[in-house]
Amino acid sequence: MKQYIKSIVEINNNRKSRCFAFFIQALILISIVTFSVETIPNLEPKTKLILRAIEWFSVVVFTIEYFLRIYVADNKRKFIFSFFGVIDLLAILPFYLSFGVDLRSLRTLRFLRLFRILKLVRYNRALNHFTRAIKSAKEEILLFIFITLILIYFSAVGIYYFESEAQPEHFASIFDSLWWAIITLTTVGYGDVYPITVGGKVFTFFILMIGLGIVAIPTGIISSALTKSVDPHDEEEV
Amino acid sequence: MKQYIKSIVEINNNRKSRCFAFFIQALILISIVTFSVETIPNLEPKTKLILRAIEWFSVVVFTIEYFLRIYVADNKRKFIFSFFGVIDLLAILPFYLSFGVDLRSLRTLRFLRLFRILKLVRYNRALNHFTRAIKSAKEEILLFIFITLILIYFSAVGIYYFESEAQPEHFASIFDSLWWAIITLTTVGYGDVYPITVGGKVFTFFILMIGLGIVAIPTGIISSALTKSVDPHDEEEV
Amino acid sequence: MKQYIKSIVEINNNRKSRCFAFFIQALILISIVTFSVETIPNLEPKTKLILRAIEWFSVVVFTIEYFLRIYVADNKRKFIFSFFGVIDLLAILPFYLSFGVDLRSLRTLRFLRLFRILKLVRYNRALNHFTRAIKSAKEEILLFIFITLILIYFSAVGIYYFESEAQPEHFASIFDSLWWAIITLTTVGYGDVYPITVGGKVFTFFILMIGLGIVAIPTGIISSALTKSVDPHDEEEV
Amino acid sequence: MKQYIKSIVEINNNRKSRCFAFFIQALILISIVTFSVETIPNLEPKTKLILRAIEWFSVVVFTIEYFLRIYVADNKRKFIFSFFGVIDLLAILPFYLSFGVDLRSLRTLRFLRLFRILKLVRYNRALNHFTRAIKSAKEEILLFIFITLILIYFSAVGIYYFESEAQPEHFASIFDSLWWAIITLTTVGYGDVYPITVGGKVFTFFILMIGLGIVAIPTGIISSALTKSVDPHDEEEV
């Protein structure tokens, strides 16, 4: 009996387990859509009722699935404290805890479970190649993050001295300037805050020239790491 | 007779077929320009008349070309249901179907036919090299698209919790937040919606730091794939 | 005599020719600065006088330099119609032609002459490496430009159908929509035009997902070309 | 005695020196936070008092550290005029010089000292790899900066001619246009200035098509340099 359930719940390659996995994944997607729809203001009472029904149904199914997974696990403790075990619990817990509205957003974490499919089916190799490349460039990526943070802080201090007098409402403190620095250096540029003094504009020019270089570096690191970490399978194929 | 038409219509390397191809391509471009001009509001009646005349002329020519291509095709059924066969039909059909104004936009698909020239003349090698590189990185590109979609959804949920109370008109539901997430993570940053709360700004900072990395990854994948997939011709040349 | 002038004007490696080259380059920079300053509105009469004097002086020097270069050229006709010969002429001609105010902007082309220094002194190798890399990727870059143009046109047509009714003032015709398409796909995002309908926003999402990929491709091409085109000097050094 | 202090102050690998380094680094971070908090307008007197106390304490500690470093340095003159020696002095000097409010921003330079940790602990290899890659691409990077500056200037001149009449308030002179050119070519696009004439929009299109290429080049250079400069350690690991 336990072996039979295990063959279905833990994904093997037989037909029933695939149906089960597909059903759970579909329910995850439906659950995410209903979660999103629920946030729309002024829903009709009828719509709300349907959403609540789907909610109830999906939580019941996820709860059964969770206990089945514990039941079939060889090492129950290990599963409960594993990454996916915790996510499975977080996906249902908010519903039971006082039917809390705020905590329910944790449900979205369940979306992470979709990775499971990827891991099993095809993307195993791609992920491995990726992980290896990023691991080999770990130090350089950390270095880049550190440099970026320093650059952002310096930009914020600089622009604060140039603009705080001219625009006290937008550059009230260094914390406000940090917002400008982030939005500018990432080239998002919402346009809610921008320098208006000559000094601030010249400063922005230099910061952007350096910033473009900074943006270019992680791309270089990752593509360099990907090129170097030769995938044995690729070698054969090409 | 059929062989003679075939030598002209299906592009070989003789002079007549090149003239024919050039004539059709020029007509495609003219057709696209007139299509664009027609959308300008408050055109003079005289201009409208000229545009309609060009429209009629080009459709008649494209119709003749379509039937000639069917006539000379060795496997008529295959041509009709081929990619370019369907596009050729879509380019003229809207005109005949009740002279439908809305469907006429399908004409723009005819622009795709310009690829035919590329394929035949020079870019064959470049396209091959490209296709091979992208095919070898297919799994990684799909993985990236999946990760991007998850990141966009998480960003939308996050910003919804931070901003929906402060700006109910811009972050009314997760669907509205999704618009913000897309525009921010692609660094377009129109400036129509942006966070104003401290929480929302800090959240945006972290999302952007991760988002920049995500943007760096596909570039790395493609340039890595291009570098690895050695083009035998390049090898000789360099 | 001619040999002596030639040794100064055509850059060799002696001291006098370096002084001459430096003097001309400094004058080019001064000329560009005065050109920029002149556009500032409401200048004082005194400032205008000084700017005009610098203007006169630099044009006289550039004219003498131009005739000296013709004088010392082995093949005079070849120099006059060469790239830098034409630029040298364009830099002084506007001044003499009716002292035309509008044409004077051609002077800025003289800025290109600064490349001459680069070519001679140090950047020879870098430029060679570069030119070779870009030449080897020429077909792929042309292909990318073609694909980008098609993508921009399709985006414009698409957004026109979604937004023209909701925002007739911003998306009046496909030409107006083209402006939106360019600003969005390059991720500049000024915020002067953006979709407001649900259809337009969903369409923008898909266009941007593809657009990000398109932006990633030329980077991949160029860095791939740079990596492949091995510079013999680099090989030895590294 | 001197040897004992030296073993603590100059980072070796014993426990006390690590504690000392950690304490200084923590104080640097606290000092930066208080510096940022001080800029918030309308602070309560009590908060100001606390901030001033932290300020006094950190300056006293940094002063003691500075003199200890001079004391233990083998070559005192060399340390005082070294990069970190100057930064250490700049971090405390503004406080003593008339308790100058403006100069205190130099304190932020002290943040640079955090690099010291990186250099010593782990990132040595990553930094070396990096420095070598950037050094080998130095000429190409300088060339790119030069080309970018020319492109920005040309864009500014071009847009000035197209837009100065239509928008004299935003494109008053070439210096104003330069601001537009920088913000557009870096794809920040705040939206404070943008072309409104047809000519200006078409010009922007061409400038952006070239600008995207320019942005792609340094990425290509750096990733190419990183790929070429083989790190002997990486070779062994992969």
Side-chain angles (χ1 to χ4, degrees):
Chain A
M1 177 64 186
K2 188 175 167 182
Q3 281 308 313
Y4 180 68
I5 294 173
K6 187 169 184 171
S7 76
I8 293 170
V9 173
E10 295 198 358
I11 302 167
N12 297 316
N13 283 322
N14 61 2
R15 220 174 131 265
K16 275 184 187 166
S17 73
R18 265 202 294 266
C19 285
F20 178 77
F22 182 79
F23 171 67
I24 292 290
Q25 285 147 24
L27 206 60
I28 291 169
L29 281 175
I30 289 164
S31 169
I32 285 165
V33 170
T34 56
F35 173 78
S36 304
V37 171
E38 266 179 277
T39 63
I40 296 174
N42 308 320
L43 286 175
E44 282 180 38
K46 206 180 154 186
T47 318
K48 276 187 183 170
L49 218 75
I50 296 168
L51 291 172
R52 188 149 303 178
I54 297 172
E55 178 65 20
W56 271 78
F57 176 70
S58 61
V59 167
V60 167
V61 172
F62 291 154
T63 309
I64 294 167
E65 186 216 354
Y66 181 61
F67 284 110
L68 278 179
R69 279 191 197 279
I70 291 176
Y71 176 64
V72 302
D74 295 324
N75 186 339
K76 291 185 208 314
R77 180 184 293 258
K78 199 181 155 198
F79 170 73
I80 290 168
F81 292 103
S82 73
F83 179 66
F84 284 114
V86 170
I87 284 175
D88 282 7
L89 186 62
L90 286 174
I92 51 172
L93 210 62
F95 182 80
Y96 295 109
L97 288 170
S98 71
F99 307 107
V101 179
D102 299 319
L103 288 170
R104 233 174 356 156
S105 66
L106 288 170
R107 186 90 36 80
T108 63
L109 287 172
R110 207 176 164 85
F111 201 42
L112 279 173
R113 290 194 63 180
L114 282 171
F115 271 112
R116 221 180 246 172
I117 332 152
L118 291 177
K119 272 176 73 175
L120 280 154
V121 194
R122 287 222 50 183
Y123 302 101
N124 216 346
R125 237 182 66 207
L127 256 182
N128 274 356
H129 187 193
F130 231 57
T131 318
R132 244 187 310 146
I134 279 166
K135 211 172 268 173
S136 80
K138 203 182 62 185
E139 292 178 15
E140 277 149 336
I141 289 168
L142 281 176
L143 183 72
F144 156 76
I145 289 171
F146 187 73
I147 292 172
T148 306
L149 289 176
I150 289 175
L151 184 69
I152 287 172
Y153 186 74
F154 274 0
S155 308
V157 171
I159 207 74
Y160 174 73
Y161 279 97
F162 282 114
E163 297 288 327
S164 61
E165 267 178 56
Q167 303 188 79
E169 73 282 7
H170 285 135
F171 297 94
S173 73
I174 283 177
F175 296 102
D176 290 286
S177 303
L178 275 170
W179 173 242
W180 169 86
I182 294 157
I183 293 306
T184 299
L185 281 170
T186 55
T187 78
V188 170
Y190 285 131
D192 54 340
V193 276
Y194 48 82
I196 55 167
T197 66
V198 172
K201 286 180 176 183
V202 171
F203 178 75
T204 306
F205 166 69
F206 285 108
I207 285 298
L208 278 171
M209 286 302 280
I210 300 164
L212 279 190
I214 298 289
V215 169
I217 287 167
T219 316
I221 294 167
I222 292 172
S223 73
S224 156
L226 278 169
T227 311
K228 274 179 184 167
S229 90
V230 183
D231 188 353
H233 281 265
D234 279 4
E235 288 269 279
E236 286 163 31
E237 278 173 38
V238 175
Chain B
M1 177 64 187
K2 189 175 167 182
Q3 282 308 312
Y4 179 67
I5 293 172
K6 188 169 184 170
S7 75
I8 294 171
V9 173
E10 296 199 356
I11 301 168
N12 298 316
N13 283 323
N14 59 4
R15 219 175 132 265
K16 276 185 187 165
S17 73
R18 266 201 294 265
C19 285
F20 178 77
F22 181 79
F23 171 67
I24 292 290
Q25 285 147 24
L27 206 59
I28 291 169
L29 280 175
I30 289 165
S31 169
I32 285 164
V33 171
T34 56
F35 173 77
S36 303
V37 170
E38 267 179 276
T39 62
I40 297 173
N42 309 320
L43 285 174
E44 283 180 37
K46 205 179 154 186
T47 318
K48 276 187 183 171
L49 217 75
I50 296 168
L51 291 172
R52 187 149 304 178
I54 296 170
E55 178 66 19
W56 271 78
F57 177 69
S58 61
V59 168
V60 166
V61 171
F62 291 154
T63 310
I64 294 167
E65 186 215 354
Y66 180 60
F67 284 112
L68 279 180
R69 279 191 196 278
I70 292 176
Y71 176 63
V72 301
D74 295 324
N75 188 337
K76 292 184 209 315
R77 180 184 292 255
K78 198 183 158 197
F79 169 74
I80 291 168
F81 292 104
S82 73
F83 180 65
F84 284 115
V86 170
I87 283 176
D88 282 6
L89 186 61
L90 286 174
I92 51 171
L93 210 62
F95 182 80
Y96 295 110
L97 289 169
S98 71
F99 307 107
V101 180
D102 298 321
L103 288 169
R104 234 176 354 157
S105 67
L106 289 169
R107 187 87 38 79
T108 64
L109 288 172
R110 208 178 163 84
F111 201 42
L112 280 174
R113 292 194 62 179
L114 282 171
F115 270 112
R116 221 180 248 173
I117 332 153
L118 291 177
K119 272 175 72 176
L120 279 155
V121 195
R122 288 222 49 185
Y123 301 101
N124 216 345
R125 237 183 66 208
L127 258 181
N128 274 356
H129 186 194
F130 231 58
T131 319
R132 244 188 309 147
I134 280 167
K135 211 171 268 173
S136 80
K138 203 182 63 185
E139 291 177 17
E140 277 150 336
I141 290 168
L142 281 175
L143 183 71
F144 156 75
I145 290 171
F146 187 72
I147 291 171
T148 306
L149 289 177
I150 290 174
L151 184 69
I152 288 173
Y153 186 75
F154 275 178
S155 309
V157 172
I159 208 75
Y160 174 74
Y161 278 96
F162 282 115
E163 296 288 327
S164 61
E165 266 178 58
Q167 304 187 78
E169 72 283 7
H170 285 136
F171 296 94
S173 73
I174 282 177
F175 296 102
D176 289 286
S177 302
L178 274 171
W179 173 241
W180 170 86
I182 293 157
I183 293 307
T184 298
L185 281 170
T186 55
T187 78
V188 170
Y190 285 131
D192 53 341
V193 277
Y194 48 82
I196 55 168
T197 65
V198 171
K201 285 180 176 183
V202 171
F203 179 75
T204 305
F205 166 69
F206 285 108
I207 284 297
L208 277 171
M209 287 302 280
I210 300 165
L212 278 190
I214 298 288
V215 169
I217 287 167
T219 315
I221 294 167
I222 291 172
S223 73
S224 156
L226 277 170
T227 311
K228 273 179 185 168
S229 89
V230 183
D231 188 353
H233 281 266
D234 279 3
E235 289 269 279
E236 287 162 32
E237 279 173 36
V238 175
Chain C
M1 178 66 188
K2 190 175 166 180
Q3 282 308 313
Y4 180 68
I5 295 172
K6 188 168 185 169
S7 76
I8 295 171
V9 174
E10 294 198 358
I11 301 167
N12 297 316
N13 283 325
N14 60 2
R15 219 175 132 266
K16 276 185 187 166
S17 73
R18 266 202 293 265
C19 285
F20 178 78
F22 181 78
F23 171 67
I24 291 291
Q25 285 147 24
L27 206 60
I28 290 169
L29 281 176
I30 289 165
S31 169
I32 285 164
V33 170
T34 56
F35 173 77
S36 303
V37 170
E38 267 178 278
T39 62
I40 296 173
N42 309 320
L43 286 174
E44 283 181 36
K46 205 179 154 186
T47 318
K48 277 186 183 170
L49 217 74
I50 296 168
L51 291 172
R52 189 149 304 178
I54 297 171
E55 177 67 17
W56 270 78
F57 177 70
S58 61
V59 167
V60 167
V61 172
F62 291 153
T63 309
I64 292 167
E65 187 216 355
Y66 180 61
F67 285 112
L68 278 180
R69 278 191 197 279
I70 292 177
Y71 176 64
V72 301
D74 295 323
N75 188 337
K76 291 183 208 317
R77 179 184 294 257
K78 200 181 156 197
F79 170 73
I80 291 168
F81 292 104
S82 73
F83 181 64
F84 284 114
V86 170
I87 283 174
D88 282 6
L89 186 61
L90 286 174
I92 51 171
L93 210 61
F95 183 80
Y96 295 110
L97 289 169
S98 71
F99 307 106
V101 179
D102 298 320
L103 288 169
R104 234 172 358 155
S105 67
L106 289 168
R107 186 90 35 82
T108 63
L109 287 172
R110 206 172 166 88
F111 201 41
L112 280 174
R113 291 195 62 180
L114 283 171
F115 271 112
R116 223 180 245 172
I117 333 153
L118 292 177
K119 272 176 72 176
L120 279 154
V121 194
R122 288 221 50 184
Y123 300 100
N124 215 345
R125 237 183 67 208
L127 256 181
N128 273 356
H129 187 193
F130 231 58
T131 318
R132 244 188 309 145
I134 280 167
K135 210 172 268 173
S136 81
K138 203 182 63 183
E139 290 178 17
E140 276 149 336
I141 290 169
L142 281 175
L143 182 71
F144 156 74
I145 290 171
F146 187 71
I147 291 170
T148 306
L149 289 177
I150 289 174
L151 183 70
I152 288 173
Y153 186 74
F154 275 177
S155 308
V157 171
I159 208 73
Y160 173 74
Y161 277 96
F162 282 114
E163 295 289 327
S164 61
E165 265 178 56
Q167 303 188 77
E169 73 284 7
H170 284 136
F171 296 93
S173 72
I174 283 177
F175 296 102
D176 289 285
S177 302
L178 274 170
W179 174 242
W180 169 86
I182 294 158
I183 293 307
T184 299
L185 281 171
T186 56
T187 77
V188 171
Y190 285 130
D192 53 342
V193 277
Y194 48 81
I196 55 169
T197 65
V198 171
K201 286 179 176 184
V202 171
F203 178 75
T204 305
F205 167 68
F206 285 109
I207 285 297
L208 277 172
M209 289 302 280
I210 299 166
L212 278 190
I214 297 288
V215 169
I217 287 168
T219 316
I221 294 169
I222 291 173
S223 74
S224 155
L226 277 170
T227 311
K228 274 181 185 168
S229 91
V230 183
D231 188 353
H233 281 265
D234 279 5
E235 288 269 279
E236 288 163 29
E237 280 174 37
V238 175
Chain D
M1 178 64 189
K2 189 175 165 182
Q3 282 308 312
Y4 180 68
I5 295 173
K6 188 168 183 169
S7 76
I8 294 171
V9 174
E10 295 198 358
I11 301 168
N12 297 315
N13 284 323
N14 60 2
R15 219 174 132 266
K16 276 184 187 167
S17 73
R18 266 202 293 267
C19 285
F20 178 77
F22 182 77
F23 171 65
I24 292 290
Q25 286 148 23
L27 207 59
I28 291 169
L29 281 175
I30 288 164
S31 169
I32 285 165
V33 171
T34 56
F35 172 78
S36 304
V37 170
E38 266 179 277
T39 63
I40 296 173
N42 309 321
L43 285 174
E44 282 181 37
K46 205 179 154 187
T47 318
K48 275 187 184 171
L49 218 74
I50 297 168
L51 290 172
R52 189 149 303 180
I54 297 171
E55 178 65 21
W56 271 78
F57 177 69
S58 61
V59 167
V60 167
V61 172
F62 292 154
T63 308
I64 293 166
E65 187 216 354
Y66 181 61
F67 285 111
L68 279 179
R69 279 192 196 279
I70 291 176
Y71 175 65
V72 302
D74 296 322
N75 187 336
K76 290 185 208 317
R77 181 184 291 259
K78 198 181 156 197
F79 170 73
I80 291 168
F81 292 104
S82 73
F83 180 66
F84 284 115
V86 170
I87 284 175
D88 282 7
L89 186 61
L90 287 174
I92 52 172
L93 210 63
F95 182 80
Y96 295 109
L97 288 169
S98 72
F99 307 106
V101 179
D102 299 321
L103 288 169
R104 235 174 356 156
S105 67
L106 289 169
R107 186 90 35 81
T108 64
L109 287 173
R110 207 173 165 85
F111 200 42
L112 280 173
R113 290 194 64 180
L114 282 172
F115 270 111
R116 221 180 247 171
I117 332 152
L118 290 178
K119 271 177 73 176
L120 280 154
V121 194
R122 288 220 48 181
Y123 300 101
N124 215 344
R125 235 182 68 208
L127 257 181
N128 274 356
H129 187 193
F130 232 57
T131 318
R132 241 187 312 144
I134 279 166
K135 210 172 269 173
S136 81
K138 203 182 63 182
E139 292 178 16
E140 276 148 337
I141 289 168
L142 281 176
L143 182 72
F144 157 75
I145 290 171
F146 186 73
I147 292 171
T148 306
L149 289 177
I150 290 175
L151 184 70
I152 287 172
Y153 186 75
F154 275 179
S155 308
V157 172
I159 208 75
Y160 175 73
Y161 278 96
F162 282 115
E163 295 289 327
S164 61
E165 267 178 56
Q167 303 188 79
E169 73 284 7
H170 284 135
F171 296 94
S173 73
I174 283 177
F175 296 101
D176 289 286
S177 303
L178 275 170
W179 174 243
W180 169 86
I182 294 157
I183 293 308
T184 299
L185 281 171
T186 54
T187 77
V188 170
Y190 285 131
D192 54 341
V193 276
Y194 47 82
I196 56 168
T197 65
V198 171
K201 286 179 175 183
V202 171
F203 178 76
T204 305
F205 166 69
F206 285 108
I207 284 298
L208 278 171
M209 288 301 281
I210 299 165
L212 279 189
I214 297 289
V215 170
I217 287 169
T219 316
I221 294 168
I222 292 172
S223 74
S224 155
L226 278 169
T227 312
K228 274 181 185 168
S229 90
V230 183
D231 188 355
H233 281 264
D234 278 5
E235 288 270 278
E236 287 162 30
E237 279 174 37
V238 176

